[in-house]
Amino acid sequence: MTTYHELLGTTEYSTTSDIKKRYKLLSHRLHPDKSGSVILMQLISHAYNEILCGNGNKHCELIHINHDKILLAKKYAQKLKQELELQQIKNVELEKQVLELRKKLDHQSSENKRLTETLESEQRKNIVSTVIPYENKMRKKRYRIIKYGLFISSVAFNIGLAVAAITLLNSNDTESVISKRENRLIEPPVVAQKVVSEELIPPKQELTTHRPIELTQVVGEWSLFQPIDQSPYIAIRNQTGSYIVQRCDLHFYYYANMTQQRTSLPANLRFMHQQQNFLVYNIAYGIGAERDHWVNSQSIKINREYFSNRSFLDSNEVLQQYCGRK
């Protein structure tokens, strides 16, 4: 007689999950809604319940089911078992095909990697072959520049020597002429006429070279300075270390700190001389050249540097008192 395990297609070593899967598969195929049989469905359900209760090795004892129907169910179960075995064989073949495809894929990836490395090496060779001629060209160009530079510098040096020699000769000639003029006897009437003529010519107002200014640590404020060896003046220092100075001649002077880099200067700055670590300029005209500019402005920009007018009015009035202009 047929056992419940044989009917369901399981064994006594099958797990509960395998039994459930087998039952779902048979019930799906033998369901009455899918051209199945009600009796076979009942038989499968009965066998599933008996197996879960631990009676899988017992023989089927269904009185209300004919023996022919049991045989039919058994044959159908065997058929399903054979189909399952065929499906397992197909799965094994599919796994083999998958392994072969993986091997081919690995081989293809290794081949792609090799081709990529070959391509990169060729590209590096091309870059090297392109860079070397360029470096040779630049080396030749630098050599030509150095050669021409040495030639030009030698020519300039020779010209400088010639100019220095000519200047020296001219200075010697000038000294000899002056000495000769001093040795000559000058008649008194001529000297008197010369003195009279010099008195008639009005003197030109020229900017004089002043002595060094006193450095201060106060930034952004006008202050009065009274040095012993020169006339008083007022000055202001900005954050970069440059100064604006006003003296008794009422001119404004820009003391540019030489440590600051400057590419170009405005046209209203007239260079006078170098003093201490400053380049001294006279603010000839424009912004910052007049007293009213400093009185009516909070700050003035000179040569890309800002100077405040803080305490300017008070310092300017004191300066005018010291200089006797009030």
Side-chain angles (χ1 to χ4, degrees):
M1 301 211 31
T2 304
T3 62
Y4 293 113
H5 278 304
E6 292 177 351
L7 184 61
L8 199 62
T10 58
T11 62
E12 59 183 353
Y13 301 106
S14 301
T15 60
T16 305
S17 61
D18 293 337
I19 294 170
K20 288 182 179 180
K21 290 179 181 179
R22 186 66 182 171
Y23 170 70
K24 288 182 180 180
L25 178 63
L26 293 175
S27 62
H28 180 71
R29 293 183 178 182
L30 299 176
H31 198 273
D33 295 337
K34 296 184 178 180
S35 66
S37 175
V38 177
I39 297 174
L40 291 176
M41 191 64 194
Q42 291 177 357
L43 183 61
I44 293 300
S45 299
H46 182 67
Y48 173 72
N49 293 326
E50 290 294 331
I51 291 171
L52 292 179
C53 293
N55 300 324
N57 293 323
K58 290 184 178 181
H59 297 288
C60 295
E61 296 178 356
L62 295 175
I63 301 174
H64 61 281
I65 301 175
N66 295 331
H67 185 65
D68 296 336
K69 294 182 178 180
I70 293 174
L71 292 175
L72 181 63
K74 185 176 179 180
K75 290 180 179 179
Y76 191 75
Q78 289 178 354
K79 184 178 179 182
L80 291 176
K81 187 176 181 180
Q82 291 176 357
E83 291 179 356
L84 182 61
E85 291 176 353
L86 292 173
Q87 188 65 33
Q88 290 177 354
I89 293 170
K90 290 180 180 180
N91 291 337
V92 172
E93 292 179 354
L94 289 174
E95 289 178 357
K96 290 180 180 180
Q97 293 178 1
V98 169
L99 289 175
E100 291 178 357
L101 291 175
R102 285 181 179 177
K103 289 180 180 179
K104 291 181 180 180
L105 182 61
D106 293 336
H107 177 71
Q108 189 67 29
S109 61
S110 62
E111 186 69 18
N112 291 337
K113 185 177 180 181
R114 185 184 64 82
L115 292 175
T116 302
E117 292 176 353
T118 305
L119 181 61
E120 289 177 354
S121 63
E122 291 295 331
Q123 289 178 352
R124 285 195 292 269
K125 290 180 181 178
N126 292 332
I127 291 172
V128 170
S129 62
T130 304
V131 168
I132 289 175
Y134 178 74
E135 290 181 350
N136 294 331
K137 185 178 179 181
M138 293 301 295
R139 191 179 293 110
K140 292 179 181 179
K141 186 176 180 180
R142 286 196 295 269
Y143 174 75
R144 288 197 299 270
I145 292 172
I146 293 171
K147 181 179 177 181
Y148 294 143
L150 291 174
F151 175 74
I152 293 170
S153 62
S154 63
V155 172
F157 180 72
N158 293 328
I159 293 172
L161 288 177
V163 171
I166 293 170
T167 305
L168 183 60
L169 291 174
N170 291 333
S171 63
N172 293 331
D173 295 338
T174 304
E175 289 178 357
S176 62
V177 171
I178 292 172
S179 61
K180 289 179 181 179
R181 288 182 180 178
E182 289 178 352
N183 293 328
R184 290 178 182 176
L185 295 175
I186 303 173
E187 297 179 358
V190 176
V191 173
Q193 290 178 2
K194 186 176 180 181
V195 171
V196 171
S197 63
E198 288 180 354
E199 290 179 354
L200 293 176
I201 298 174
K204 295 182 180 179
Q205 294 182 357
E206 294 182 355
L207 298 174
T208 58
T209 301
H210 302 284
R211 295 187 179 183
I213 62 173
E214 295 182 6
L215 302 182
T216 179
Q217 299 296 328
V218 179
V219 178
E221 185 174 1
W222 287 85
S223 303
L224 176 68
F225 296 89
Q226 294 177 307
I228 299 173
D229 55 349
Q230 59 177 309
S231 59
Y233 63 90
I234 59 175
I236 184 173
R237 176 191 173 185
N238 65 356
Q239 295 180 353
T240 60
S242 298
Y243 289 78
I244 298 293
V245 177
Q246 186 188 27
R247 298 184 181 273
C248 288
D249 58 1
L250 300 183
H251 287 288
F252 288 90
Y253 301 92
Y254 170 52
Y255 283 69
N257 191 353
M258 294 175 62
T259 59
Q260 302 295 323
Q261 295 183 358
R262 296 172 177 85
T263 57
S264 60
L265 291 172
N268 64 334
L269 296 181
R270 303 291 173 82
F271 177 74
M272 296 178 60
H273 57 273
Q274 178 179 344
Q275 190 177 88
Q276 297 166 298
N277 62 331
F278 301 102
L279 296 176
V280 183
Y281 298 90
N282 173 38
I283 306 176
Y285 59 91
I287 300 298
E290 300 293 338
R291 175 180 179 274
D292 294 339
H293 298 167
W294 294 97
V295 173
N296 299 325
S297 301
Q298 293 183 355
S299 63
I300 291 179
K301 181 180 180 182
I302 297 176
N303 194 24
R304 299 181 183 178
E305 297 186 60
Y306 287 92
F307 296 89
S308 174
N309 73 334
R310 183 180 179 184
S311 303
F312 171 77
L313 187 58
D314 297 336
S315 300
N316 181 261
E317 291 178 355
V318 174
L319 178 65
Q320 291 184 12
Q321 292 176 2
Y322 274 102
C323 295
R325 294 185 178 272
K326 276 192 175 181

